[in-house]
Amino acid sequence: MENLIGVGNGRTYEDFHKQIPEHVKPKFDELRQFCLNLGDKLVEDVRMHRVVFCKSMTFRWFADFEPTSKSILIKIQKDRKIPITIFEIFPEDDLKEIQKNLKDAFDLIH
């Protein structure tokens, strides 16, 4: 996991984690860990209000996670020519569908 970096601002996931609402943290952490396990060419970019997952150092992002007070907004990009899909995940939601979409996006993004 040495490819995990915060680009530009020097923020770590630990810093970011402190601002996630407590009831959203378990799902956010579970989805983050799922993305981290997708492959060794993964780059995690911790930004001020969200975490973006990219494939390789070309920074072709495939997932953008933004915590809200009640949920997680997830933007998924499979290809630059396909419109971005937005999901809203709540703490009680099952993650199978979003995990399938995340894996598909990781596999398809160039």
Side-chain angles (χ1 to χ4, degrees), residues 62-80:
F62 66 93
D64 182 320
F65 293 6
E66 181 179 351
T68 71
S69 62
K70 298 178 182 178
S71 65
I72 306 164
L73 292 178
I74 300 177
K75 296 176 187 169
I76 295 178
Q77 176 177 258
K78 294 182 180 181
D79 188 289
R80 289 183 179 189

Side-chain angles (χ1 to χ4, degrees), residues 50-101:
R50 63 190 200 271
V51 177
V52 178
F53 294 94
C54 309
K55 190 171 184 178
S56 79
M57 292 304 288
T58 60
F59 295 109
R60 297 292 171 106
W61 74 275
F62 66 93
D64 182 320
F65 293 6
E66 181 179 351
T68 71
S69 62
K70 298 178 182 178
S71 65
I72 306 164
L73 292 178
I74 300 177
K75 296 176 187 169
I76 295 178
Q77 176 177 258
K78 294 182 180 181
D79 188 289
R80 289 183 179 189
K81 297 175 184 170
I82 300 173
I84 294 168
T85 307
I86 300 174
F87 295 87
E88 186 170 20
I89 304 298
F90 293 91
E92 65 276 5
D93 288 348
D94 181 72
L95 299 179
K96 287 181 181 147
E97 180 184 353
I98 191 70
Q99 287 173 335
K100 181 186 180 316
N101 278 279

Side-chain angles (χ1 to χ4, degrees), residues 5-49:
I5 59 173
V7 177
N9 60 18
R11 290 196 82 199
T12 66
Y13 184 72
E14 290 72 31
D15 295 334
F16 180 83
H17 196 257
K18 295 172 188 171
Q19 73 190 45
I20 302 172
E22 285 299 320
H23 61 282
V24 176
K25 281 182 183 181
K27 287 289 183 190
F28 200 99
D29 289 341
E30 187 176 348
L31 287 167
R32 175 183 182 255
Q33 193 58 51
F34 179 83
C35 285
L36 294 177
N37 290 328
L38 287 173
D40 58 352
K41 293 186 178 187
L42 184 89
V43 177
E44 178 183 53
D45 183 5
V46 180
R47 300 182 182 177
M48 189 57 76
H49 300 291

